[in-house]
Amino acid sequence: MKIGVLGAGHLGKIHIKLLKEIEEFDLVGFFDPDEDLAAQVQDQFGIKKFESRESLIKEIDALDIVTPTLSHLDCAIEGLNSGKHLFIEKPISDTLEGAKEICDLSDEKNLKVQIGHVERFNPAFIAVKESIGDPMFIESHRLAQFNPRGTDVSVVLDLMIHDIDVILSIVKSPVKDIKANGVSVLSETPDICNARVEFENGCVANFTASRISMKNMRKSRIFQSNAYISVDFLEKKSEIVQMKEFIGEADPYAMT
């Protein structure tokens, strides 16, 4: 399949590097409006830089969109209207309306759209996913040091979106209620946010995300009737603590 990349910034370079290593894809080239950057990337990776978005789209079967989030909708609509399958770096769009527009058009055109929610494929999460049955309480913390690169959107769409996606994939129940608070500290959009999500089956999930932390953290703790499950997405480590079966009546004063 012939594929092209829109955007050659920090993440765009990563996508280009990985696409070159996947045998199922023929990486035709990329487009970035920054001419100096495009020239550097062309020399670095030895792939063709196109002079426009339109000229790239004409030559491919699938489009990999790694542009700033605010431009995702325009790029996606152009790609879909040109009959191209899409891979979009998360989030799908900066608004719910934009996300719905992309989904509706992909259905209408019978084209595939995939979003880069990579934490679903984190080996630490994969290792414990089958052990997650009926979560009752979940805590997720995603903290990062400040980087102006993602501040075109709030910390929810920049960081928390990963944990929201993971939690929605394991809690098999509709959302009942959401309460959230966020504040802007260094950018014009919220840099810190805490959200409490209640599901109809009684499960509660607390999300905390910050992009002005002194340290990086990506951890989720999942509590269910028979186990406590911890996932460290950053260190790629997971842990399951299960209660032993107990026969008879428990002695609350027993030491062991």
Side-chain angles (χ1 to χ4, degrees):
M1 177 176 285
K2 294 181 179 180
I3 192 168
V5 177
L6 280 184
H10 173 72
L11 286 175
K13 291 177 186 175
I14 295 175
H15 283 230
I16 289 170
K17 177 181 179 295
L18 295 176
L19 284 169
K20 289 190 66 173
E21 298 173 359
I22 301 176
E23 294 181 356
E24 289 81 3
F25 285 114
D26 174 13
L27 180 55
V28 173
F30 72 99
F31 169 71
D32 193 289
D34 186 327
E35 295 183 1
D36 291 337
L37 174 62
Q40 294 172 11
V41 172
Q42 179 176 241
D43 293 340
Q44 180 181 354
F45 293 98
I47 64 170
K48 180 180 178 181
K49 68 178 181 67
F50 282 75
E51 299 305 317
S52 68
R53 192 165 74 185
E54 296 76 16
S55 61
L56 171 64
I57 291 175
K58 287 179 181 179
E59 301 296 325
I60 59 176
D61 305 310
L63 183 64
D64 183 1
I65 300 174
V66 204
T67 60
T69 301
L70 297 181
S71 66
H72 282 187
L73 177 59
D74 288 343
C75 295
I77 295 303
E78 183 174 353
L80 291 170
N81 280 329
S82 300
K84 313 302 178 182
H85 302 292
L86 302 181
F87 184 93
I88 308 174
E89 182 56 62
K90 63 82 193 168
I92 182 173
S93 178
D94 61 314
T95 66
L96 178 60
E97 293 76 17
K100 288 182 175 179
E101 187 174 349
I102 293 171
C103 291
D104 290 344
L105 186 57
S106 68
D107 289 340
E108 177 187 326
K109 300 289 186 179
N110 194 28
L111 294 166
K112 295 184 182 299
V113 175
Q114 295 183 331
I115 313 301
H117 290 297
V118 296
E119 293 290 37
R120 284 200 191 194
F121 306 96
N122 190 302
F125 178 63
I126 292 175
V128 300
K129 186 176 180 180
E130 295 302 317
S131 298
I132 301 173
D134 188 17
M136 300 167 60
F137 188 82
I138 302 169
E139 285 189 318
S140 290
H141 291 81
R142 189 166 292 258
L143 315 177
Q145 297 175 343
F146 183 72
N147 186 332
R149 177 170 50 84
T151 55
D152 57 330
V153 293
S154 74
V155 71
V156 175
L157 293 180
D158 183 26
L159 299 180
M160 191 187 288
I161 191 72
H162 282 299
D163 299 309
I164 294 172
D165 176 67
V166 167
I167 299 313
L168 290 179
S169 76
I170 60 175
V171 180
K172 309 302 182 182
S173 175
V175 171
K176 177 182 179 182
D177 187 48
I178 300 173
K179 293 182 175 66
N181 290 285
V183 294
S184 303
V185 180
L186 296 177
S187 71
E188 296 182 358
T189 56
D191 298 306
I192 306 174
C193 182
N194 177 262
R196 176 185 173 90
V197 179
E198 297 182 19
F199 296 86
E200 289 186 359
N201 67 354
C203 178
V204 175
N206 284 328
F207 299 89
T208 299
S210 170
R211 58 187 176 200
I212 53 172
S213 175
M214 295 294 291
K215 63 178 181 178
N216 295 327
M217 176 189 294
R218 304 175 194 167
K219 290 183 178 180
S220 289
R221 294 185 294 167
I222 302 159
F223 300 84
Q224 57 189 39
S225 60
N226 64 340
Y228 156 75
I229 300 168
S230 173
V231 181
D232 188 326
F233 293 93
L234 185 62
E235 298 294 331
K236 294 181 172 57
K237 296 179 180 179
S238 53
E239 179 183 29
I240 300 176
V241 179
Q242 291 183 309
M243 295 184 63
K244 293 181 178 179
E245 290 189 13
F246 187 84
I247 301 176
E249 292 188 13
D251 181 355
Y253 302 104
M255 297 300 293
T256 58

